[in-house]
Amino acid sequence: LFRELKDAMGSFTPQQQEWIFTLISAVMHVGNVEFEVDESDTVTDVKASAHLEAASRMIGLPADRLQTSMSERSNLIRGERMVTPLTRQQALSSRDALAKACYGRLFNWIVERINRNICSYNLPLFVGVLDIFGFENFEENSFEQLCINYCNEQLQSYFNEYIFKLE
């Protein structure tokens, strides 16, 4: 199955394929990071440090900076940097936003790359998929469901733009 996936990615160089798989792996590791909190629900550390280490290694960012980006908010006020630790829920939201942003940029890059390859033949073609069933809303969405929903919404948006707006 993996070989079939790699064969289907023939328009990507081996280095690009490796980069895609590495970034997806990093996103999955980021999604597994959990936070330790003190009695006031303020984040003090990460529970799943192996996932944090793996993700930071894959994206080339020191683990402490990655942890800080998910567990603290920093503002520059009148030349002075104010750092505020996040609550567990805020840190989880920050973690999920980071994962979604990385996945979203990767998805957009892949679609752009595919469309550029299709258009290189001077044919008016593009990738477009319509998900007529809409956005699933479960009591609790897993990261995989988030990725599926995000992908579906992006495809729906592209479809609407190219089919309805440009016609």
Side-chain angles (χ1 to χ4, degrees):
L1 211 54
F2 185 68
R3 182 164 307 285
E4 290 175 14
L5 173 65
K6 287 191 63 95
D7 290 344
M9 296 176 71
S11 63
F12 296 96
T13 67
Q15 295 83 7
Q16 290 171 329
Q17 290 179 26
E18 184 66 27
W19 178 76
I20 290 168
F21 295 133
T22 299
L23 188 54
I24 290 172
S25 296
V27 167
M28 293 173 74
H29 279 292
V30 165
N32 287 328
V33 171
E34 291 288 333
F35 300 96
E36 293 180 10
V37 295
D38 61 17
E39 62 279 348
S40 66
D41 198 39
T42 300
V43 172
T44 58
D45 204 358
V46 296
K47 288 183 186 176
S49 61
H51 291 292
L52 179 73
E53 293 289 334
S56 68
R57 187 175 53 255
M58 290 175 187
I59 60 176
L61 184 68
D64 60 331
R65 290 195 55 202
L66 181 58
Q67 178 180 344
T68 299
S69 73
M70 294 186 289
S71 62
E72 295 179 356
R73 178 176 52 242
S74 177
N75 294 313
L76 191 61
I77 301 171
R78 294 184 184 168
E80 185 178 340
R81 182 162 308 280
M82 304 294 290
V83 176
T84 307
L86 301 178
T87 65
R88 180 181 181 280
Q89 189 56 51
Q90 289 171 327
L92 291 173
S93 294
S94 178
R95 174 203 69 187
D96 294 346
L98 174 63
K100 182 179 177 183
C102 290
Y103 183 81
R105 290 185 62 114
L106 174 62
F107 175 81
N108 289 340
W109 180 82
I110 290 171
V111 170
E112 179 183 316
R113 171 78 184 196
I114 291 169
N115 282 333
R116 196 172 338 132
N117 285 347
I118 290 172
C119 293
S120 68
Y121 299 108
N122 293 323
L123 299 172
L125 302 173
F126 66 92
V127 173
V129 177
L130 173 61
D131 174 21
I132 62 171
F133 296 106
F135 189 84
E136 292 80 8
N137 187 9
F138 298 111
E139 190 70 28
E140 217 155 292
N141 279 321
S142 65
F143 178 71
E144 290 80 11
Q145 189 62 46
L146 170 74
C147 292
I148 291 166
N149 288 345
Y150 182 79
C151 179
N152 287 341
E153 292 304 312
Q154 288 293 311
L155 291 172
Q156 177 72 46
S157 175
Y158 285 126
F159 178 84
N160 288 344
E161 180 179 345
Y162 285 103
I163 298 302
F164 299 119
K165 291 180 183 173
L166 297 178
E167 276 193 0

